[in-house]
Amino acid sequence: MKPVRGILAELITRRARLATFLAGFLSISIFALVYTGWSGPVGSPTRALVAMSSPDHKSPEVRQVVFAKVHKAASSTVQNILLRFALARNLTVLFPRAGALISQITSRIPRRKMVPLPEGKDKYDILCNHAVYNETEIAKYFSEDAVRVAILRDPMRQAISALVYYYTNYPTRTLVKAVEKYADDPINMFLRHPQDFYRPNAKHGPMTSYINNRMSLDLGFDSHELESSKHNDTKIEAFINRVDKEFDLVLISEYFDESMVLLRRYLHWSMKDIIYLKVNTARKQSARSPFSRKPNISDQVLQTFRQWDKIDYELYEHFLPRFLKTIKSELYFEAEVKAFKEIQVLVKDFCSNKTTHQDLKIGQSVWSGNFSVSKLDCKLMSKEEVDMVNIVRAKQISRYQRPRRKPSSLKDFDKS
């Protein structure tokens, strides 16, 4: 007779072997089932994996999307993705009749200044142009079923990016005077003395500034008495709770590829729908430029800037942990992001290669059906914001109106 300890050891070994076998079998089975397209019972892990990762065997794609275009948070790249999606499916985008902005000052959307809906349609499909967010105003133009999406960026990076971008491209008198005052090191001086770069008594107050809690203002924070609001924790908390309630998905620009994969899963899009080339990024500063100096951030500097940008910090630090928790809970998420990054490398190399004229072929995988990328796709992905808006708006208008002559932007599109 075997000793009791020996019997127990043998039982433990057998159970361990059985557990290892079952784990391996389950893993292989799930992987195989994804390929075969079996979706399992409602609520099963396999069904969730198939629904989120395999576009050929899932719910219909979402075609109504409201995107809050937050300034200097990789939002122009997301806008390009949404406009290409709308162009490919003949969707109706809420466009201003002229220009690329709906509004950066007020949340009101004047219908007379918008491209009208085609006959028989009472709601738009896509919003992706700059508009100060107000759900009551948005509801006039979009179905309550349209998925609401926003994107955020680390507040200090966002503010520095806005400072450099607007000083370089749209220099206001206040910015020019401040940069001249701190000509040797404007970025570090901005972090230490942000109030010197801001004019509180401007005509439209904080709404004319892009360096003072602009992400929160874009998402509808009340700009009235903004400086005192930075000390009003109750008001800030109420605002964050409202954003939490109104938006289905809040993305993080520092995790852009992860954000796009999460967006793809949420909207049931294909992998091709989310490929991108970065657009509207800040120009690289020369070594001689004072803007090329890296920020020197001490605890005191960080504390000073956090108080200046407090609402944005509270907003970002509420949604960042939630975003990270969400992507951690997603099935096989890291593997899909890795696959997406590999596709992105291929797309970037293909689009930058001027000698290749054949389409790039992307083979089928567990995450996507096979698809091709053309040089026209490259041209659209690389279009600057205004040019892309002009192309899609002209194409949209041409579907249900008969202009006397074809807009130049549409002629350029047809030639490409």
Side-chain angles (χ1 to χ4, degrees), residues 1-11:
M1 182 177 292
K2 293 182 180 179
V4 174
R5 184 178 296 176
I7 294 174
L8 289 174
E10 185 174 332
L11 286 173

Side-chain angles (χ1 to χ4, degrees), residues 40-63:
V42 174
S44 72
T46 306
R47 181 178 178 84
L49 176 60
V50 171
M52 291 179 180
S53 64
S54 182
D56 296 326
H57 307 285
K58 57 173 174 40
S59 304
E61 64 185 18
V62 174
R63 293 190 171 190

Side-chain angles (χ1 to χ4, degrees), residues 189-367:
M189 291 302 103
F190 166 62
L191 298 179
R192 287 159 176 77
H193 309 285
Q195 67 280 354
D196 290 352
F197 293 74
Y198 172 69
R199 187 162 67 98
N201 58 348
K203 182 180 178 181
H204 296 285
M207 301 308 296
T208 59
S209 171
Y210 301 94
I211 59 173
N212 189 352
N213 292 275
R214 185 66 207 200
M215 293 191 293
S216 297
L217 294 176
D218 282 336
L219 294 178
F221 187 85
D222 180 13
S223 63
H224 182 63
E225 296 182 351
L226 181 64
E227 296 310 305
S228 62
S229 295
K230 295 176 184 180
H231 305 282
N232 190 335
D233 293 338
T234 301
K235 184 176 181 179
I236 296 173
E237 183 179 359
F239 163 69
I240 293 173
N241 288 338
R242 179 173 62 75
V243 173
D244 211 344
K245 179 180 178 181
E246 291 177 349
F247 285 87
D248 301 291
L249 199 58
V250 177
L251 309 174
I252 302 295
S253 70
E254 283 80 15
Y255 297 87
F256 192 79
D257 287 343
E258 290 83 354
S259 291
M260 292 305 96
V261 170
L262 186 63
L263 182 71
R264 186 193 84 77
R265 289 186 172 198
Y266 204 98
L267 301 180
H268 308 300
W269 286 7
S270 72
M271 191 71 85
K272 182 177 180 179
D273 294 325
I274 61 168
I275 60 173
Y276 67 89
L277 298 175
K278 291 182 180 179
V279 295
N280 204 30
T281 56
R283 297 173 185 173
K284 189 175 181 180
Q285 299 293 322
S286 68
R288 295 180 179 180
S289 171
F291 288 110
S292 65
R293 297 187 179 180
K294 293 183 179 180
N296 182 14
I297 306 168
S298 64
D299 290 342
Q300 183 178 354
V301 170
L302 180 59
Q303 187 61 32
T304 298
F305 191 77
R306 282 183 68 94
Q307 185 54 47
W308 164 263
D309 224 24
K310 182 179 179 180
I311 309 166
D312 274 5
Y313 267 103
E314 295 283 341
L315 180 72
Y316 182 78
E317 290 174 353
H318 174 84
F319 284 103
L320 174 61
R322 177 169 298 188
F323 174 85
L324 295 175
K325 183 179 179 181
T326 298
I327 63 175
K328 188 176 181 180
S329 67
E330 289 280 312
L331 289 167
Y332 300 98
F333 193 78
E334 289 184 5
E336 183 174 352
V337 171
K338 182 175 181 292
F340 178 56
K341 287 178 181 289
E342 291 171 353
I343 290 174
Q344 277 293 115
V345 171
L346 296 174
V347 170
K348 186 176 180 180
D349 289 346
F350 169 73
C351 290
S352 63
N353 189 336
K354 305 300 182 183
T355 61
T356 301
H357 300 288
Q358 293 183 340
D359 290 356
L360 171 66
K361 305 291 185 182
I362 304 294
Q364 183 174 351
S365 73
V366 65
W367 311 114

Side-chain angles (χ1 to χ4, degrees), residues 11-27:
L11 286 173
I12 291 171
T13 301
R14 288 180 179 178
R15 286 189 177 184
R17 288 174 179 170
L18 179 60
T20 301
F21 169 78
L22 289 175
F25 177 77
L26 182 61
S27 177

Side-chain angles (χ1 to χ4, degrees), residues 143-193:
S143 162
E144 64 178 10
D145 295 329
V147 174
R148 270 70 168 166
V149 181
I151 189 167
L152 299 174
R153 184 180 184 182
D154 174 85
M156 186 178 288
R157 293 181 181 179
Q158 188 274 338
I160 291 175
S161 177
L163 171 65
V164 176
Y165 178 81
Y166 284 97
Y167 174 77
T168 303
N169 296 280
Y170 306 100
T172 64
R173 193 174 181 182
T174 303
L175 285 183
V176 171
K177 287 178 66 176
V179 171
E180 288 177 350
K181 180 179 179 179
Y182 301 114
D184 292 337
D185 197 356
I187 286 180
N188 278 297
M189 291 302 103
F190 166 62
L191 298 179
R192 287 159 176 77
H193 309 285

